[in-house]
Amino acid sequence: MLDPVLNRINNHLDDAIERWSDFLRIPSISTDPAYADSMRQATEWLRGQLEPLGFQVDVRETEGHPVVIAHHPGPGGDATHVLYYGHYDVQPPDPLELWHNDPFDPTLVDGPHGKRMVARGAVDDKGQLMMWMEALRAWHAEHGGLPIRATILIEGEEEVGSRNLLPVLERYRDELAADVCVVSDTAMWDIDTPAVTYTLRGLLYTELTCRGPSHDLHSGFYGGAVTNPINALTRILGALHDEQGRVRIPGFYDDVIEPSQEELAQWQTLNMDEAGFLGSAGVSVSGGGEQDRTLLERLWSRPSCDINGILGGFTGPGAKTVIPREASAKISFRLVPDQDPDQLIAAFRDFIEEQAPAGCTTELEVHSAAPAIRIPTTSPYLQAALNAMGTVYEREPVLLGCGGSIPIAAWARDILGIDTLLMGFSLEDDGMHSPNEKFEVTCFHRGTLSHVALLDELRKRTDY
Ligand code: BES
Ligand code: MN
Ligand code: MN
């Protein structure tokens, strides 16, 4: 059953690239309200792709952007039931001047590994979600049906913290029930080494505002007498880390689980090219985070805290002697098992209270909160994925951690009670969220073949 589908993928790659390009032309930027129509257009485009494959497709409203939910009955009986997840939203493309082509005019460019697709969303997540969609399409075309029962959930708010996904999962819990959730939104180890990701960090994203005087003041008239909200804010921000790069919020590390000796040993065998990794960021030393931890630990098993933006006062050209009335900062935390986002919010509020100088008030807004996840490596589905990728790449896949976050994984466990299979095909230099985001066509191609091979693995085994 497998070979004809693999052949079909190989013989019709150009058509798949055509469809991928169509999807990329829709500027589905979730954070910018000006693109609301494009968000809807993307959901309708997805409907148009899925209905011909025998899916019953619904575009459901949320408090934010709509979600696509689709069902395929599969062969019946006790076939494996897969929940495929993806996100149709993308990050804003700015700074635009750094792109070599229009971010929403997908362009195939020659690179050292052959052609690559350059566009916003090329890899994150339109290109990656299309791999499993193309696998389903090819199987359907070849065999007139699917070997598994499939439910699809594609959201439009992952890039803004999946703000309305939790209510969607709670509301449609029964409808979204499945045996396993399959996601392609992570990375491989290198272009020839496929990987399953088994840990994701969580994310708590907040905004802190400090307010002082009722209006902007002359800093000569009032300087030294009135609390300056920027001084207050930076005092709090400066207190977040100690000299060793540890986060100073009391209790921050209390629930952090240390990786086992076996895990640390396995990470060692990956032989990370640390200089290459730092070089990909344009730096040569790793000065961030806990100095007594290895780079992979810092990225995969240790929590972190970053200030993502800071706002306030006079930022125009030249000088202006002013004490502003307020200042704010976006502060986010990457979380690891078993840190509880709600507990951290409370501890952070206490910390702010304690650090804030007299004469200013503080307000903390929580934009999004999602816990970390660790997928048991003993999961039979994980084994099926390793087998599938091993067949396609003729090389042993590796298990990876990931410093990024995908909220569905923890919530699929907590609300739907299922594990998530993270089969990602992105490379370190794909530039997710950066200008000239790209996805190698060979990764797209072999990723699609891997999803076909996974279908075949799941078809052969009904005893999961
Ligand atoms: N696809 C990424 C997750 C990711 C990041 C995978 C890095 C592999 C490496 C995802 O779309 C993403 O950007 N997630 C956000 C989540 C957040 C807004 C809740 C992230 O990690 O910042
Ligand atoms: Mn993504
Ligand atoms: Mn992303």
Side-chain angles (χ1 to χ4, degrees), residues 87 124-125 158-159 185:
H87 62 90
D124 186 10
D125 181 33
E158 197 276 346
E159 299 292 10
D185 197 23

Side-chain angles (χ1 to χ4, degrees), residues 264-275:
L264 289 173
Q266 189 246 321
W267 296 357
Q268 279 291 330
T269 66
L270 291 169
N271 257 321
M272 187 194 194
D273 171 12
E274 299 201 354

Side-chain angles (χ1 to χ4, degrees), residues 87 91 124 158-162 185-187 203 334 368 402 404-407 432-433:
H87 62 90
Q91 289 279 337
D124 186 10
E158 197 276 346
E159 299 292 10
V160 288
S162 298
D185 197 23
T186 50
L203 185 73
R334 294 284 168 178
S368 67
C402 173
S405 313
I406 308 174
M432 278 193 191
H433 299 196

Side-chain angles (χ1 to χ4, degrees), residues 288-325:
E290 298 169 90
Q291 296 301 309
D292 57 341
R293 299 282 178 163
T294 66
L295 212 47
L296 280 188
E297 276 182 273
R298 281 189 245 172
L299 291 168
W300 292 354
S301 65
R302 301 298 294 174
S304 63
C305 168
D306 275 290
I307 300 155
N308 303 106
I310 185 159
L311 215 82
F314 177 68
T315 56
K320 177 184 178 188
T321 49
V322 66
I323 297 176
R325 59 186 287 273

